[in-house]
Amino acid sequence: MQRRQRRRTGTIAAGSALGLTAVLGGCGLTGGSEDVTLKLVAAEYGDSAANSSQKYWSRVADSYESNHSGVKVDVTVYSWNDVDRKVKELVDAGQAPDMAQIGSYADYAAKNLLYQADDLLSISTQADFASQLATAGRVKDVQYGMPFAASTRLLFYNKGLFSKAGLTPPQTWKDLAADAAALKAEGVSYPYALPLGPEEAQAETMQWLLSGGGGYTDSFGTYGLDSTENVATFTWLKDELVDKGLTGPVAPGKLNRAAAFSAFADGDVGMLNGHPSLMKMAKKGGVDYGMVRMPGHNGPSKYSMGVADWMTAFKQNGHARQVGEFLDFVYSEENVLDFSREYDLLPVTNSASEAMSVGERDAGLKPFLDALPQSETYPVGRTSWAEVAAAVKKHIGEAVAPGSDPARVLGGLESTATKADSRS
């Protein structure tokens, strides 16, 4: 049979914000020996044509197809601004892809549109996932979201600015406020950059909530945005940083993460929370930087915020066996390492993490790798999270605005979360 020409299309834009035989024992798995074209929609992690995700996926697909006759992999890449919307449009039109590498999965799982990981992956592949990421991919103890890329956050500081002010990296909130005051006295534009703008406010918020002993949910998994700990955290932020003019010329509610990162790379920021991609930006800008764990009340925070992006597999086309075999290949140590190194992200498998932790070429990522086991992710297994995250992005900046009451703002967000949860 003539080999069909693979069609690959995609847009190039800046990204976010990471084989064994599949188990065949599940009920109702379909797929025979006839030619199959698997359609994959993926997100763009590159920042230029040279390192486009399209190139990565083309290499993976070509390598897989060379050893699997009769299977084609058709990959379409969209920017992070578009990929979740594009997949939703395809699903709503009854044209779901076989696989989608996107930012969430819970809504599709709730509608019974996704294969369970057990239906697809070999036992070896499933066992290789970092345990906390695999757990984060579950809905009611069933894994639907397969982690694909991960990152954690650390506190970056400008070594040159710290040296000039005679400072050492902070370990507590009190240290951070004192360092920020000293940096302000030296004329630093953003002593501590606090990006609570609509781009990614949910990330900065979660990092601070964790450092204050709280979080989006309590130990039972129930939303608790207005907990005593969370209110105390934002009250401290407002009183000790924002009201004292230590967060820079742009109001936190108007400052986006991308702008804060750019300001750090320009040498205008003393401290901010950052993920691995900030290392490359800082080096390109000639900024000598250091990284430490996020300060807490009495010492470095025990927990870091972790973020994962997800691979999902839709049932509509019935290609469970072929999808499973392809994903086993995608999650091989070699491929996970290639992706993580290309885009400065953390591997989602134990085997790749172990290789990276001892690799000299990966030394810059080791502090993030070390933080990953103690990281906590967003409550992405809840179908209400998308609505809650949108509300946080829109309103959390109000909690530190002049004359505001953090308890009132957090109480409003908790009300939104409770109502969203009741509808899910």
Side-chain angles (χ1 to χ4, degrees), residues 35-54:
D35 282 4
V36 167
T37 297
L38 300 178
K39 294 189 177 295
L40 166 64
V41 174
E44 177 61 79
Y45 290 86
D47 56 14
S48 69
N51 69 343
S52 165
S53 293
Q54 195 76 49

Side-chain angles (χ1 to χ4, degrees), residues 295-319:
H297 277 302
N298 302 310
S301 176
K302 181 179 179 182
Y303 298 105
S304 171
M305 189 200 72
V307 176
D309 300 326
W310 304 98
M311 179 68 75
T312 58
F314 288 88
K315 294 179 178 179
Q316 179 179 321
N317 300 321
H319 296 147

Side-chain angles (χ1 to χ4, degrees), residues 249-314:
V250 180
K254 301 292 185 182
L255 181 64
N256 282 326
R257 188 267 311 164
F261 277 21
S262 294
F264 186 83
D266 289 338
D268 296 328
V269 175
M271 299 173 281
L272 84 169
N273 285 314
H275 52 62
S277 68
L278 184 55
M279 296 188 298
K280 184 180 293 184
M281 290 181 65
K283 289 177 182 176
K284 188 175 181 179
V287 173
D288 186 15
Y289 65 90
M291 301 180 296
V292 294
R293 281 186 174 272
M294 178 68 181
H297 277 302
N298 302 310
S301 176
K302 181 179 179 182
Y303 298 105
S304 171
M305 189 200 72
V307 176
D309 300 326
W310 304 98
M311 179 68 75
T312 58
F314 288 88

